[in-house]
Structures are given as C-alpha cells and as structure tokens.
Amino acid sequence: MDSQLLPVLLLLGALGPWGQGQGPEGSSEELLEEPPEEVPREDGILVLSRHNLGLALREHPALLVEFYAPWCAHCKALAPKYHKAATLLAAASIPATLAKVDGPAEPELAEEFGVTEYPTLKFFRDGNRTHPEEYTGPREAEGITEWLRRRVGPSATRLEDEAGVQALVGAHDVVVIGFFQDLQDEDVATFLALAQDALDMTFGLTDQPQLFQKFDLTNDTVVLLKKFDEGRADFPVDKKRGLDLVNLSRFLVTHSMHLVTEFNSQTHPKIFAARILNHLLLFVNQTLAPHRELLTGFGEAAPPFRGQVLFVVVDVAADNDHVLRYFGLKAEAAPTLRLVNIETAKKYAPVDGEPVTAASVAAFCRAVLTGHVQPYLLSQEVPPDWDRRPVKTLVSKNFEQVAFDETKNVFVKFYAPWCAHCREMAPAWEALAEKYKDHADIVIAELDATANELEGLAVPGFPTLKYFPAGPGRKVIEYKGTRDLETLSKFLDHGGELPTEPTEEPGAPVPESPANSTAGSKEEL
C-alpha cells in the first residue's frame, strides 16, 4: 500500500461509512470544531450552548442558568427581570453570573439536566456539572440577586458588638440573630442553611458574651426581632437534640408575620406558607369607617392564638370576589367572620348577628378549636325547575334524595362553571340526557361543585363523573372512560360498567388503545 495513502485511509476509517461514523473520541464535528474562545453575552447574560457550557462552568464558579423557550410566555415575562438581576449583581459586585440556554434549540442540554418545562433555573457551583442546585427563589430581579448573594457569600452577618446589632436591626423590619457560644457547632450550619432561603428576613449571628448578656441569654438561642406586634420572639436551641430545621423554619414564618394580615396578592403566598392550619377571616368593607373600627378588636383577640390561628382581614371592596365565593358569601354580608381549616377544608361560621368584638372573636376561635361549633357546607337553594330539563340540576340540599334514590340509576357530572373541560363535554352530557329522558329508572344530573359541598364525597377535579346505581348500599362508581356520547351510553346500558372490547384472533396485530381523556382535570381547580 502506498504510504502516502495511509493517513487518508485512517481518517476515512475514523469517520466511518460515508464520513459520518464516530471514532473513539466522538463525532467528526467534535474532532474538527475549534473550541470556543469565549462565551457570548446578551445584555450581560451568557448565551450557552452544548459547545460552550463547559467553558462557562470553568470560568464562572457561581453560575445561574435559565433554560427557556422563545415561545414561552412565562419566559418572556421573566426576561426583563433576569436582565435587571444581572445588572444588580454587577453593581453590587456579587461574584455570580447569569446565563441562559434556548432549550428547544439545545435538546441535548435540556435532556442532560432533566428540563421538562420552561423556564427552569439551575445553579452550578464550582464547575460541578453533574449536581446543579434547583433555583428556589422568587422570579423577580431583587429576589434572584439576594438568592445568589446568600449562596456565594455568608447568608448571615457576623455581629461583634452592640453597634453592629443596632445597625442591622435598624435597617430591616425583621431580623433573625443566632446566638451560638461555638460558631463551629453543627447547629450554626443548620442556621446558615435556613438563612440561604428565607429571603424575606435578614440574618445575623454572634458568639460574643456581651451580646448574650445584652439580650439576657445564657444558652444558644435564635432571636427574632421585628418592628411590629410584640417585637421579639425567642427560639431556644435544644441542648440534646440541637437545632431542628423544620421547627425553626415554622417558628420564623409564624413569628415574622403580623398578628393580623390583610389578604392581597402580595401576602397570600406567605399566608399559605405559614403552615398554620386554621385561618380566621374577618370580611369588612375598608371604605366604611364603622368596618375599619372593628379591626382594633379583631387584633386584640389575636395574641393568645399565635401559631394556632392565623388572623386575616379580607376587604370586600377590593378584588377578593374569589374569596367570598369560596365561603359562599356576598359582599353585603360584611362585616362577618369565617374560620377554615385548610387541611380539612371545613368551614365554620359564628352565630348570625353577633357583633365583632375582641371577646366574641376569641370566644368563636375557642369554640371551633374545642369542637363546639359544627362546620357548614356550601349549598345553593334548590331551583324550582331543577327537574324540568333532561339534565337535572342538583345542589347540596337535594343531592341526597336524588342520588341515593334506591329506585333510580343516577349519573352525575360534578363541574365548575369556569372549567374548559366541563364546557367541552357539555354537549355530550346534554345529548346523553336527551337520549335517556324517557327511561324512568335513569337520571342524568349535574352539580356545581364550586357552590355546593357534600359531606364525605370527594371531587378531586373537574369534571368528575359519578354513577349511583339503584338499590340499597349507597354504592358509588366513578366513571373513568372517554366523555363521548357513545361511550357514556355503553356505560349506562351495562349497569355502570364499560364492556370489554372483543379480543383479536390469535396472530392478529393488537391495535394501540386510544388515550384516556379523563386526565388533566385537577390543574383546573
């Protein structure tokens, strides 16, 4: 063989047939492509691809990467905030860098990092490509900046003297100070880890004996200082078990909130994050002076229930119609109280006509907590024409007598007026009712589950279809088939069962079954 041809043949062998195979070191593209000299930027944000991600990780030890899609509305909304965060990081000299990846254009990277939705943000530290940290902070510029600041620097300020404490406390509404006699103790690591994510509070720590004395402390303690309500709350560190992260987190959320919180778009995330199961709501019209005067007594009743009951004010004159509907109220009912347990969804109401005073509010809370008040269920009034149409109208007050009539087979659609899936299947449901309207033993009905509650009957999503067959035993069968007239009819004709499709002859190919169309309801709740 001609020695001059050998390098050429070796190269062709490495490329494989048609020049497209892979050699031992990867594809020809990887072999021949020059490594990037630098990573491009747009508005201060690195633009990453599969070719330059490695370089970016080597050059930037603290890298937050947004995986986005150009068509994603949430990504478009985040874009100016992300750009502002890059500006804030640079202005504050925080050693962290922002980057972005077009997920659909870089499917290899999206797959490598398990990206299934957009936007997804991941934090890479010290070039570690295999274990990025999920971004858990808020999606606004200041929150992104603070989240990163607490990861690349200390999450708590070291306090050496009283002047440092006063400066920290004076600059913030809520300050959490960890008093630890030994700053190398593992409890300090627990404290600092919590401080990384509690972005709505400012953290400090100290081991100085004079500061222990100033705050009348002899043992390790976490102290929350605030410019409202009682001003201070202490969380002693258990000497045997150490600092419990879950209990400390719950303590800080509970005591960092005002005794009385007004419900609005800014406060509602924190209200539900507080992990206090009982919420007492005072519905008032804040434009009316007599209603505003009730807030004093409401607040006076709150301190003994701190941690047990969250006191919330709902202004019926603001955009809170959804809250009123949840409790079955109209704005004209204000002022009034309602208590809800957010775990059981049970709702409680005081005696009608009782004035809202500190004493009456406290008495109502105690009565609910001790089981002396029965929960109420939402129910509309029974319409006078509820049974005149082919589809019968059910509410809480007539549901029992209709659904559990032992002489009838009752098929009920539980729906929400705003649910797109419910609207989509409405024609098939109407057609079903029309088809069986002359069957004396079959009832096709519907119930608005957002305005009517039923004891012991779960409605996990909309629409939910349940079949109540005739006979004793109060049997309930949940329908899980497709929502077309033909399949619904087969279900009824076979007594609440879908007939089994005939099997194919041996050796015949088995067709792929159609996807079940009943999924996807919960996300509309």
Side-chain angles (χ1 to χ4, degrees):
M1 179 182 295
D2 189 336
S3 60
Q4 293 182 348
L5 290 177
L6 183 59
V8 177
L9 293 174
L10 288 174
L11 176 59
L12 289 175
L15 293 177
W18 312 112
Q20 296 176 0
Q22 289 191 353
E25 301 300 323
S27 69
S28 60
E29 183 179 4
E30 291 171 332
L31 286 171
L32 301 177
E33 182 173 345
E34 290 293 328
E37 295 181 1
E38 62 180 34
V39 182
R41 288 180 182 260
E42 288 181 4
D43 297 326
I45 298 169
L46 299 180
V47 181
L48 302 184
S49 68
R50 64 189 183 281
H51 303 301
N52 62 24
L53 175 60
L55 176 62
L57 291 174
R58 290 192 297 274
E59 293 184 345
H60 303 280
L63 187 67
L64 181 64
V65 180
E66 176 205 3
F67 292 84
Y68 73 97
W71 40 259
C72 168
H74 294 295
C75 302
K76 293 176 182 177
L78 177 62
K81 303 169 187 177
Y82 203 57
H83 167 60
K84 182 180 178 182
T87 303
L88 293 176
L89 287 169
S93 299
I94 297 173
T97 305
L98 300 188
K100 62 182 180 179
V101 172
D102 182 339
E106 297 289 341
E108 295 94 339
L109 292 183
E111 181 178 0
E112 177 182 352
F113 298 109
V115 176
T116 58
E117 60 182 21
Y118 300 107
T120 291
L121 288 85
K122 293 180 181 284
F123 179 58
F124 296 80
R125 191 193 296 269
D126 298 325
N128 187 332
R129 183 166 180 158
T130 57
H131 295 93
E133 179 182 354
E134 295 292 332
Y135 175 78
T136 57
R139 295 191 176 184
E140 42 85 17
E142 290 75 14
I144 294 170
T145 305
E146 183 63 16
W147 192 90
L148 287 169
R149 186 188 70 77
R150 295 197 188 191
R151 273 159 175 74
V152 300
S155 56
T157 302
R158 180 81 173 266
L159 301 172
E160 301 290 350
D161 51 35
E162 188 176 345
V165 173
Q166 290 177 347
L168 192 67
V169 172
H172 305 279
D173 288 340
V174 178
V175 172
V176 181
I177 301 178
F179 291 82
F180 300 99
Q181 293 168 341
D182 179 8
L183 293 184
Q184 303 306 312
D185 192 281
E186 63 181 25
D187 288 335
V188 176
T190 300
F191 178 79
L192 294 175
L194 187 149
Q196 282 191 339
D197 289 310
L199 303 184
D200 53 347
M201 305 174 216
T202 300
F203 289 76
L205 80 163
T206 186
D207 61 351
Q208 297 300 304
Q210 70 270 25
L211 292 180
F212 272 76
Q213 183 178 0
K214 174 68 178 177
F215 282 83
D216 296 321
L217 300 173
T218 56
N219 298 310
D220 289 3
T221 305
V222 176
V223 176
L224 185 146
L225 302 169
K226 51 190 174 181
K227 295 178 180 177
F228 50 87
D229 295 337
E230 63 270 40
R232 171 177 170 174
D234 290 8
F235 185 88
V237 177
D238 189 286
K239 291 184 178 180
K240 293 183 179 179
R241 292 176 293 179
L243 190 62
D244 184 273
L245 182 63
V246 173
N247 289 337
L248 176 59
S249 176
R250 182 180 298 115
F251 169 85
L252 294 181
V253 171
T254 299
H255 288 273
S256 65
M257 296 188 69
H258 289 256
L259 278 167
V260 176
T261 304
E262 182 166 349
F263 184 91
N264 55 46
S265 59
Q266 287 73 44
T267 61
H268 91 262
K270 193 167 186 178
I271 288 172
F272 292 104
R275 294 188 289 272
I276 298 173
L277 298 182
N278 298 298
H279 293 183
L280 178 67
L281 289 78
L282 172 61
F283 292 86
V284 292
N285 187 328
Q286 295 265 37
T287 66
L288 303 177
H291 285 214
R292 293 195 299 271
E293 292 170 1
L294 300 175
L295 300 180
T296 301
F298 187 64
E300 290 173 354
F305 300 98
R306 164 85 78 178
Q308 255 191 315
V309 180
L310 194 62
F311 280 55
V312 180
V313 173
V314 180
D315 184 4
V316 301
D319 185 20
N320 289 318
D321 289 348
H322 59 296
V323 185
L324 287 165
R325 286 196 301 271
Y326 181 77
F327 288 92
L329 293 172
K330 296 185 181 297
E332 295 76 26
T336 189
L337 293 168
R338 292 293 185 272
L339 191 147
V340 60
N341 182 295
I342 61 172
E343 184 175 56
T344 65
K346 290 182 177 179
K347 307 175 183 69
Y348 303 84
V351 177
D352 287 340
E354 190 171 4
V356 178
T357 64
S360 68
V361 170
F364 176 54
C365 283
R366 286 193 295 270
V368 173
L369 294 176
T370 56
H372 288 86
V373 178
Q374 293 300 311
Y376 71 91
L377 297 173
L378 294 183
S379 179
Q380 297 172 312
E381 293 300 319
V382 180
D385 60 346
W386 71 272
D387 61 347
R388 293 178 190 168
R389 296 187 306 113
V391 176
K392 312 307 178 188
T393 303
L394 300 185
V395 297
S396 299
K397 293 180 179 179
N398 69 348
F399 178 82
E400 179 81 12
Q401 70 181 71
V402 176
F404 293 106
D405 183 340
E406 295 184 2
T407 67
K408 301 286 196 300
N409 298 292
V410 184
F411 204 7
V412 182
K413 175 182 71 172
F414 298 85
Y415 73 96
W418 40 259
C419 167
H421 293 301
C422 300
R423 291 193 294 269
E424 183 180 345
M425 74 158 293
W429 200 248
E430 293 286 346
L432 185 71
E434 185 68 29
K435 180 177 180 179
Y436 290 91
K437 67 179 181 180
D438 296 326
H439 290 64
D441 62 338
I442 292 179
V443 176
I444 308 299
E446 62 184 10
L447 180 142
D448 179 355
T450 66
N452 297 276
E453 296 175 322
L454 302 168
E455 184 71 38
L457 192 67
V459 180
F462 301 124
T464 289
L465 306 181
K466 292 182 182 288
Y467 180 71
F468 303 82
R474 300 172 65 87
K475 188 176 181 182
V476 182
I477 299 170
E478 184 158 353
Y479 176 82
K480 295 183 178 180
T482 53
R483 302 180 192 129
D484 59 273
L485 177 60
E486 181 182 358
T487 311
L488 291 167
S489 299
K490 287 180 180 179
F491 179 78
L492 283 178
D493 293 342
H494 289 79
E497 293 183 1
L498 284 174
T500 304
E501 294 295 330
T503 57
E504 296 288 339
E505 295 180 7
V510 178
E512 184 178 351
S513 61
N516 193 315
S517 65
T518 59
S521 304
K522 285 187 179 180
E523 63 192 39
E524 293 213 37
L525 282 174

